[in-house]
Amino acid sequence: MPEQHYKYDVGISFLSADEQLASAIHAKLSEHMKVFVYSKRQEELGGTDGLVSLREAFYSDSRLVVVLYRIGWSETPWTRVEETAIKERFLDQGQDWLLFVTLDDQGKPPAWVPDFRIRFNFHCGLEELLGAIRLRAEQLGTILTVESVVERALRLQCSAPQLDETLCEA
């Protein structure tokens, strides 16, 4: 079977309350791989059917899917779309591509999420989570890259609040 080509190395699903954590993960991982966080990819999503774009991001475009889980995930309209895509992929492809990160002790992940291999407890900390994501992505075939000075400057420029959109389109 031919190697699948992914648009992203990692796709992150999360509630809006966890956007700061998702952005921190994005900032650290983007130095070495392509990461999908919907709020960081507005230029790609704009003008598309959001239902289709989000489904593709988690069903077929991301090599590894990371779910930042707490009670309420899958209960909002957009995380419901993401969960549906993740569940369909889970049924079609198994579980190796999924990492469920529990952010608190308040709720138990959905019953369809196995207790082994694909869970990570965030109480271990951000650096440990980043290491787990990098390891899983590499196990799935991601080749970590080293940014050039120009690529790093462009990435930092594009993530700055005073975004110069013409530079970021390159």
Side-chain angles (χ1 to χ4, degrees), residues 27-42:
K28 292 286 191 177
L29 294 179
S30 291
E31 296 175 21
H32 303 290
M33 58 181 79
K34 292 182 182 175
V35 181
F36 177 84
V37 169
Y38 79 89
S39 57
K40 303 294 184 188
R41 299 286 180 173
Q42 291 300 312

Side-chain angles (χ1 to χ4, degrees), residues 7-8 36 41-57 78:
K7 193 172 184 179
Y8 310 106
F36 177 84
R41 299 286 180 173
Q42 291 300 312
E43 71 281 358
E44 292 174 29
L45 298 175
T48 68
D49 182 333
L51 294 174
V52 173
S53 298
L54 280 179
R55 181 186 187 291
E56 289 173 352
W78 293 111

Side-chain angles (χ1 to χ4, degrees), residues 102-122:
T102 54
L103 299 179
D104 60 30
D105 295 326
Q106 301 301 313
K108 187 174 180 172
W112 58 269
V113 178
D115 288 332
F116 57 93
R117 185 163 156 78
I118 65 170
R119 289 193 187 183
F120 183 89
N121 188 325
F122 186 67

Side-chain angles (χ1 to χ4, degrees), residues 137-151:
E138 285 184 283
Q139 289 172 338
L140 294 171
T142 293
I143 298 171
L144 301 180
T145 60
V146 178
E147 286 181 312
S148 70
V149 173
V150 173
E151 290 168 331

Side-chain angles (χ1 to χ4, degrees), residues 1-169:
M1 190 162 92
E3 166 71 16
Q4 172 147 353
H5 296 283
Y6 295 95
K7 193 172 184 179
Y8 310 106
D9 296 302
V10 178
I12 304 174
S13 176
F14 58 94
L15 286 167
S16 60
D18 297 313
E19 185 167 3
Q20 186 174 1
L21 174 58
S23 293
I25 294 168
H26 177 273
K28 292 286 191 177
L29 294 179
S30 291
E31 296 175 21
H32 303 290
M33 58 181 79
K34 292 182 182 175
V35 181
F36 177 84
V37 169
Y38 79 89
S39 57
K40 303 294 184 188
R41 299 286 180 173
Q42 291 300 312
E43 71 281 358
E44 292 174 29
L45 298 175
T48 68
D49 182 333
L51 294 174
V52 173
S53 298
L54 280 179
R55 181 186 187 291
E56 289 173 352
F58 296 103
Y59 183 82
S60 58
D61 288 350
S62 297
R63 183 181 308 269
L64 172 66
V65 172
V66 175
V67 176
L68 302 180
Y69 181 80
R70 70 173 66 247
I71 291 176
W73 181 84
S74 81
E75 295 174 11
T76 68
W78 293 111
T79 58
R80 201 169 311 139
V81 169
E82 295 166 7
E83 181 197 35
T84 299
I86 291 166
K87 285 168 95 173
E88 288 176 9
R89 184 173 175 183
F90 186 88
L91 291 171
D92 291 345
Q93 300 176 19
Q95 64 190 21
D96 290 342
W97 52 271
L98 181 60
L99 180 61
F100 235 76
V101 179
T102 54
L103 299 179
D104 60 30
D105 295 326
Q106 301 301 313
K108 187 174 180 172
W112 58 269
V113 178
D115 288 332
F116 57 93
R117 185 163 156 78
I118 65 170
R119 289 193 187 183
F120 183 89
N121 188 325
F122 186 67
H123 295 298
C124 295
L126 180 59
E127 289 305 315
E128 287 79 4
L129 174 58
L130 293 170
I133 293 170
R134 283 186 195 107
L135 175 64
R136 288 291 299 283
E138 285 184 283
Q139 289 172 338
L140 294 171
T142 293
I143 298 171
L144 301 180
T145 60
V146 178
E147 286 181 312
S148 70
V149 173
V150 173
E151 290 168 331
R152 181 174 173 81
L154 182 59
R155 180 176 55 80
L156 293 174
Q157 173 73 29
C158 292
S159 64
Q162 70 282 358
L163 177 66
D164 181 348
E165 293 180 15
T166 57
L167 289 174
C168 299
E169 292 172 2

